[in-house]
């Protein structure tokens, strides 16, 4: 889904309205299973134009069960090595991944921006 989004971006920095339009496109396919224990619930944009991915785990978990440093490194590498994702990352204020467990308990999050590529 992230591959089709850069075509919606026309300026160097996208507006919150444009960000919300992109999030709406992704949300048409949510909730979406990412792997055997992770579901993408939805995507929202926050000011000024940060994309927030909200994930739920289908298993009981606590914050100490998740290696957020490893997750961030893996996901950041994916974003920074794909030209389509870099294109979008250059135009938003940042990306945030937020996680909750099966009971909707907040587990943690991480953020990154193009400056970390």
């Amino acid at each position: 889904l992230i591959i089709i989004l850069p075509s919606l971006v026309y300026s160097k920095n996208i507006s919150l309205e444009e960000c919300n339009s992109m999030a709406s496109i992704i949300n048409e396919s949510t909730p979406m299973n990412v792997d055997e224990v992770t579901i993408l619930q939805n995507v929202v944009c926050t000011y000024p134009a940060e994309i927030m991915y909200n994930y739920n785990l289908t298993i009981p978990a606590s914050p100490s069960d998740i290696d957020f440093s490893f997750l961030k490194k893996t996901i950041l590498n994916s974003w920074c090595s794909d030209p389509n994702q870099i294109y979008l990352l250059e135009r938003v204020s940042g990306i945030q991944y937020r996680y909750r467990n099966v009971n909707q308990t907040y587990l943690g999050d991480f953020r990154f921006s193009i400056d970390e590529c």
Side-chain angles (χ1 to χ4, degrees):
L1 291 172
I2 199 70
I3 293 172
I4 64 168
L5 297 181
S7 65
L8 298 175
V9 182
Y10 300 107
S11 63
K12 174 64 179 158
N13 296 311
I14 67 171
S15 67
L16 183 57
E17 182 179 347
E18 290 168 317
C19 188
N20 282 324
S21 293
M22 289 187 298
S24 292
I25 291 170
I26 296 171
N27 287 332
E28 290 175 5
S29 300
T30 59
M32 174 191 323
N33 290 352
V34 176
D35 59 33
E36 55 276 353
V37 298
T38 311
I39 298 172
L40 175 61
Q41 284 302 124
N42 63 31
V43 177
V44 297
C45 292
T46 60
Y47 184 81
E50 180 177 88
I51 302 171
M52 182 188 311
Y53 293 87
N54 291 300
Y55 290 95
N56 284 7
L57 302 182
T58 60
I59 58 173
S62 67
S64 63
D65 294 330
I66 301 173
D67 186 346
F68 284 103
S69 176
F70 175 78
L71 264 178
K72 179 179 178 178
K73 181 179 176 184
T74 302
I75 291 171
L76 181 61
N77 183 52
S78 174
W79 276 86
C80 296
S81 62
D82 182 311
N84 290 316
Q85 290 180 307
I86 288 174
Y87 184 86
L88 179 59
L89 190 54
E90 289 174 334
R91 286 154 180 79
V92 296
S93 58
I95 305 293
Q96 180 180 11
Y97 282 69
R98 183 172 284 184
Y99 293 85
R100 294 183 181 277
N101 70 14
V102 70
N103 300 317
Q104 298 299 310
T105 303
Y106 174 76
L107 297 172
D109 63 55
F110 57 87
R111 290 180 161 85
F112 56 87
S113 68
I114 189 65
D115 297 335
E116 295 179 66
C117 286

